[in-house]
């Protein structure tokens, strides 16, 4: 009798186990928070829809905040990791550091700290590379872009070389501020991310 009871309980729990989803935490700034466009038009919302069709065992939590810096990210990441227990963290920070001309060493250290926190929490990181407009100077912009490449190699994180590839610098795909992509460009942002994210999904 006891054996039959345990078997029955096990069968009842099977659907719950099958329904358990792994979480992808998107941890970014305005580029991931759908700044200036409807939230449902942003690339993160498009990612949710794509996963629902192709990888329904994953769900997305978007913890992106417009204006966020890497130092702000360091302060927030631990609580988010505890709350959401993500399998993957898409780390899209650093652009606001660069636009403010903050020391590159500070940005690199902060990003490294976030990646380390992710790893300790059992989450893999997909690092989203950013670049700065050319008016910030050749050397600074080059060194800024190299932060992401260097960190990905050092930490073995996944890397999207540039979120705004084929979007940045195109007026028809950019809002009047010249920085944020319009709704019509969000599909391209998703493509840029998906190429590197897909191999990380089990």
């Amino acid at each position: 009798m006891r054996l039959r009871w345990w078997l029955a309980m096990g069968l009842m729990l099977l659907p719950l186990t099958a329904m358990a989803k792994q979480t992808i935490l998107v941890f970014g700034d305005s580029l991931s928070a759908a700044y200036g466009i409807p939230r449902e038009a942003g690339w993160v919302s498009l990612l949710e829809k794509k996963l629902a069709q192709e990888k329904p065992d994953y769900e997305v939590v978007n913890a992106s905040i417009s204006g966020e810096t890497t130092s702000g990210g360091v302060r927030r990441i631990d609580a988010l990791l505890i709350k959401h227990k993500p399998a993957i963290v898409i780390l899209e920070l650093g652009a606001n550091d660069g636009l403010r001309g903050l020391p590159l060493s500070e940005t690199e250290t902060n990003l490294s700290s976030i990646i380390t926190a992710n790893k300790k929490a059992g989450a893999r990181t997909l690092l989203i590379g950013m670049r700065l407009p050319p008016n910030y100077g050749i050397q600074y912009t080059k060194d800024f872009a190299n932060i992401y490449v260097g960190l990905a190699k050092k930490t073995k994180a996944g890397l999207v070389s540039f979120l705004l590839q084929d979007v940045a610098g195109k007026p028809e795909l950019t809002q009047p501020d010249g920085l944020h992509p319009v709704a019509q460009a969000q599909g391209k942002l998703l493509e840029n991310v998906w190429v590197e994210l897909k191999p990380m999904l089990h």
Side-chain angles (χ1 to χ4, degrees):
M1 185 71 179
R2 185 182 295 273
L3 179 59
R4 287 200 298 271
W5 185 85
W6 279 110
L7 286 172
M9 287 299 294
L11 290 172
M12 289 173 63
L13 291 172
L14 276 175
L16 296 177
T17 304
M19 289 172 61
K21 293 190 176 186
Q22 297 187 75
T23 298
I24 297 174
L25 176 68
V26 181
F27 193 52
D29 50 35
S30 56
L31 294 172
S32 298
Y35 175 87
I37 61 174
R39 192 171 181 85
E40 62 271 16
W43 75 263
V44 178
S45 292
L46 298 181
L47 173 62
E48 289 185 77
K49 295 174 184 176
K50 191 173 186 68
L51 288 169
Q53 295 176 344
E54 299 187 25
K55 293 286 184 178
D57 49 332
Y58 283 89
E59 62 181 1
V60 177
V61 172
N62 191 357
S64 303
I65 297 177
S66 293
E68 183 68 290
T69 60
T70 59
S71 60
V74 169
R75 289 192 292 270
R76 290 201 300 134
I77 190 61
D78 287 337
L80 289 168
L81 291 171
I82 292 171
K83 180 178 180 180
H84 299 292
K85 299 177 177 58
I88 298 172
V89 176
I90 298 179
L91 176 54
E92 183 273 301
L93 287 176
N96 288 313
D97 293 40
L99 293 174
R100 298 177 187 183
L102 298 178
L104 297 178
S105 58
E106 179 181 320
T107 299
E108 183 174 8
T109 297
N110 290 337
L111 288 173
S112 180
S113 295
I114 295 170
I115 294 172
T116 298
N118 295 343
K119 190 175 295 185
K120 287 182 178 178
R124 291 167 291 148
T125 300
L126 177 59
L127 182 61
I128 307 295
M130 289 304 302
R131 298 175 189 170
L132 297 175
N135 57 298
Y136 278 75
I138 295 175
Q139 193 60 52
Y140 186 79
T141 55
K142 179 181 178 181
D143 291 345
F144 179 84
N146 285 339
I147 287 176
Y148 297 91
V149 177
L151 276 176
K153 289 180 179 177
K154 181 180 178 181
T155 64
K156 295 181 172 56
L159 176 67
V160 174
S161 59
F162 184 32
L163 178 63
L164 303 180
Q165 185 68 44
D166 299 324
V167 172
K170 296 184 177 182
E172 70 276 14
L173 296 179
T174 308
Q175 296 181 41
D177 61 12
L179 296 173
H180 296 92
V182 296
Q184 292 84 345
Q186 298 296 315
K188 181 57 186 174
L189 269 62
L190 175 58
E191 286 180 25
N192 295 337
V193 173
W194 185 252
V195 169
E196 303 300 334
L197 176 62
K198 187 177 181 180
M200 299 175 68
L201 305 177
H202 298 308

